[in-house]
Amino acid sequence: MDADTGTDTGTGAGTDAGTDAETIKRILTATGDTWAVVGLSNNESRAAYGVARVLQRFGKRVVPVHPKAEPVHGEQGYASLADIPFDVDVVDVFVHSGLAGRVADEAVAIGAKAVWFQLGVIDDEAYERTRAAGLDMVMDRCPAIEIGSL
């Protein structure tokens, strides 16, 4: 399911993997405050725009990652995760499931501590690869919803 359009593009079975409350809490409270948001642009009608604003209100540094590399919410944008010249704690993924696995692999490559697949973004194989690499991972959840309940 595409996080922004609701179109079913899933590549996984949609298991409960990546949804345990302890992992969600750990990522939101203890993993770090620098979040790269893949798919974040200045398009205010996209979910990523609003979620990034909520993350900022909760003290997270939001780093936009989008081909346009435009600044969003006062933060410099980058065309890819590899272009970010500082450490990233969490990679928040707002791309459809068919592309999300590649982003998770890039998150591992840059040394991120966790990957968060947004609502409707599911890739069970990417989940397994990312966890095997030692990263925390959440799928099919929204941090803006979860952080408010902590």
Side-chain angles (χ1 to χ4, degrees):
M1 182 94 44
D2 183 297
D4 288 319
T5 66
T7 304
D8 186 7
T9 58
T11 59
T15 66
D16 289 334
T19 59
D20 75 273
E22 194 55 41
T23 300
I24 290 168
K25 182 178 180 181
R26 184 171 48 252
I27 292 172
L28 290 171
T29 63
T31 299
D33 290 332
T34 302
W35 286 55
V37 181
V38 178
L40 175 57
S41 71
N42 276 313
N43 185 340
E44 295 180 25
S45 68
R46 297 294 221 167
Y49 189 87
V51 169
R53 180 60 83 198
V54 170
L55 289 170
Q56 283 185 321
R57 280 199 303 265
F58 280 90
K60 307 300 182 190
R61 178 183 185 189
V62 171
V63 181
V65 179
H66 189 279
K68 293 181 183 178
E70 60 191 355
V72 183
H73 298 314
E75 289 285 346
Q76 174 59 49
Y78 298 90
S80 72
L81 290 173
D83 291 339
I84 300 172
F86 47 82
D87 291 340
V88 169
D89 299 310
V90 181
V91 175
D92 189 5
V93 182
F94 276 94
V95 300
H96 67 78
S97 298
L99 298 175
R102 186 187 70 201
V103 176
D105 294 339
E106 291 170 5
V108 170
I110 67 162
K113 298 173 188 168
V115 175
W116 192 296
F117 280 8
Q118 281 294 325
L119 288 172
V121 181
I122 300 167
D123 184 331
D124 294 326
E125 292 175 6
Y127 177 85
E128 294 302 326
R129 287 193 312 272
T130 303
R131 295 290 295 136
L135 282 69
D136 276 335
M137 185 162 177
V138 171
M139 286 193 305
D140 195 23
R141 297 291 180 134
C142 178
I145 294 169
E146 303 292 339
I147 203 166
S149 67
L150 293 177

